[in-house]
């Protein structure tokens, strides 16, 4: 059945897909078609069952089809699916986001992470009245024109577009340097600091495999941006509500000027958000002169899914206002306390993922397959290399062929890992000890045959 659908899909969609990585180009073979998903498991149209470590690329931190999220979406849908005028769900989700992210004074919801980053860049340019931006090699910020740019290797260079169709005149305004490179960072600020509108960074890069910031790197960036009047944008579309409720900025104790969010805050529906210092945000229309809009922005179904997800994560526990009764409870004026403590849930995710990563590492060692595992909280990446991975160039040096074999070996055994060495794995609260144990056992078999 999947095979047949895949054939037909090619006649409708470019390369058979509506988003490129789904085509399995990074590992070869053909993708499967999902029929349904529940908890940590997926079922394809041929009734094959998989333990899912992709989690829709990040949003599904509670697992698939969480009953509270499904209920919240159904309840919202019954009241109407889109209004195009303010609705109270927007306020509740904003409260939850702001409770977790103290750096966000004002927020705007969008329908995707791409819109959030693209709009944050425009806003930073409007606020600073400067045009240039800086990003880091291997950081993905959605597919806005200014952000589809990486440098060639070796220090700061003018941007060369990564994609056809991006005008070189625009790409030249995007500088890129390697992540974790203190020297390149100092140097670009020395030469360009006064002309940069913004620096955008994934504080925990998770779109080129996974690597972590070296001690002091984000601090240095905060210091330099402050000195030069540059807007610091943390792209926490993945890390927000994933590594901690308050994202990477909570873990590293750094306050960016703007933050972009997505994925988890939509609970599996299309949502993005950007927010931060009120002084900057107020430059947006209708108060200011930076235009940004969206027909479905603040969509009630998407807001409801986000509210249910964040509430299940224990976010806003200290607020003690409407609680996890959602809008219904608010309307009935019956405040309820969320039942979960966020910290405890994130600790549980961390412990479970550590068990998985350690198990995979030991299985690889036993089979004498060199792997390097990077992990933070419930994000993990198994690199096929014996060298530590601290930036994009390191990640690119991994054995992608071996990763592809690992991927297919796991998939055959019913474990769906990301179909590319440059994507990460996600563990959800629905992954059980039994899931983890079975995964480690299967990995052992696969490593033995690599
Ligand atoms: C996924 C992602 C985006 C883009 O979000 P979309 O909803 O896919 O447009 C932006 N930044 C980061 C860090 C992401 O992981």
């Amino acid at each position: 059945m999947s095979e047949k659908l895949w054939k037909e899909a090619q006649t409708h969609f470019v390369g058979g897909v509506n988003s490129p990585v789904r085509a399995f180009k990074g590992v070869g073979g053909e993708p499967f078609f999902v029929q349904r998903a529940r908890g940590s498991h997926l079922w394809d149209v041929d009734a094959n069952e998989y333990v899912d470590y992709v989690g829709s690329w990040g949003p599904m931190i509670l697992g698939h089809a969480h009953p509270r999220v499904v209920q919240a979406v159904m309840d919202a849908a019954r009241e109407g699916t889109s209004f195009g005028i303010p609705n109270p769900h927007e306020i509740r989700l904003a409260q939850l986001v702001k409770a977790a992210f103290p750096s966000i004074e004002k927020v705007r919801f969008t329908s995707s992470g791409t819109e959030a980053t693209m709009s944050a860049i425009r806003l930073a340019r409007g606020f600073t009245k400067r045009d240039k931006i800086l990003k880091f090699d291997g950081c993905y910020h959605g597919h806005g024109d200014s952000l589809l740019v990486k440098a060639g290797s070796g220090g700061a260079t003018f941007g060369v577009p990564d994609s056809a169709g991006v005008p070189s005149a625009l790409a030249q305004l995007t500088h890129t340097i390697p992540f974790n490179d203190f020297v390149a960072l100092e140097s670009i600020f020395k030469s360009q600091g006064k002309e940069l509108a913004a620096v955008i960074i994934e504080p925990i890069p998770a779109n080129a495999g996974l690597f972590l910031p070296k001690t002091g790197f984000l601090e240095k960036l905060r210091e330099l941006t402050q000195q030069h009047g540059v807007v610091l944008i943390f792209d926490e579309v993945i890390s927000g509500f994933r590594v901690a409720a308050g994202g990477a900025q909570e873990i590293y104790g750094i306050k960016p000027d703007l933050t972009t969010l997505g994925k988890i805050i939509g609970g599996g529906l299309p949502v993005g958000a950007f927010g931060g210092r009120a002084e900057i945000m107020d430059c947006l229309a209708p108060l200011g002169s930076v235009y940004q809009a969206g027909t479905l922005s603040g969509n009630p179904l998407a807001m409801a899914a986000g509210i249910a997800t964040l509430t299940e994560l224990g976010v806003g526990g200290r607020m003690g206002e409407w609680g996890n009764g959602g809008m219904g409870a608010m309307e009935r004026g019956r405040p309820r306390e969320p039942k979960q403590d966020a910290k405890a849930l994130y600790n549980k995710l961390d412990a479970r993922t550590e068990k998985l990563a350690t198990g995979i590492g030991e299985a690889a060692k036993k089979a004498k397959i060199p792997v390097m595992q990077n992990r933070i909280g419930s994000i993990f990446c198994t690199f096929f290399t014996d060298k530590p991975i601290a930036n994009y160039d390191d990640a690119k040096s991994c054995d992608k062929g071996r990763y592809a074999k690992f991927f297919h070996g796991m998939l055959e055994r019913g474990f769906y890992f990301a179909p590319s060495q440059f994507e990460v794995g996600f563990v959800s609260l629905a992954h059980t000890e039994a899931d983890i144990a079975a995964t480690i056992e299967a990995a052992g078999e696969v490593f033995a045959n690599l």
Side-chain angles (χ1 to χ4, degrees), residues 356-422:
L356 176 70
T358 307
I360 291 176
E362 281 168 1
K365 204 166 170 191
K366 218 164 132 191
K368 301 201 165 53
I369 303 286
V371 301
M372 274 288 162
Q373 307 236 53
N374 282 351
R375 181 186 76 83
I376 183 161
S378 54
I379 314 177
F380 66 94
C381 186
T382 305
F383 288 106
F384 287 81
T385 180
D386 51 8
K387 292 192 292 277
I389 306 292
N391 63 37
Y392 189 34
D393 277 343
D394 295 341
K396 280 194 292 197
S397 74
C398 292
D399 188 340
K400 293 178 279 292
R402 199 168 242 182
Y403 182 84
K405 283 186 193 146
F406 171 75
F407 167 84
H408 282 292
M410 293 305 288
L411 192 68
E412 275 164 32
R413 287 167 177 79
F415 301 88
Y416 176 45
F417 281 68
S420 163
Q421 173 72 89
F422 299 117

Side-chain angles (χ1 to χ4, degrees), residues 125-146:
R125 283 173 163 157
F127 174 73
T128 57
K129 306 200 165 51
R130 301 173 183 177
D131 289 340
K132 291 181 179 175
I133 61 170
L134 173 68
K135 73 178 282 292
F136 294 84
D137 293 350
C139 283
Y140 178 67
H141 305 293
H143 58 87
D145 282 347
S146 289

Side-chain angles (χ1 to χ4, degrees), residues 112-115 117 140-143 202 207 235 237-238 263 271:
S112 68
T114 293
E115 286 171 75
T117 53
Y140 178 67
H141 305 293
H143 58 87
E202 287 182 80
N207 280 288
D235 182 355
V237 170
I238 283 188
K263 299 197 168 112
V271 182

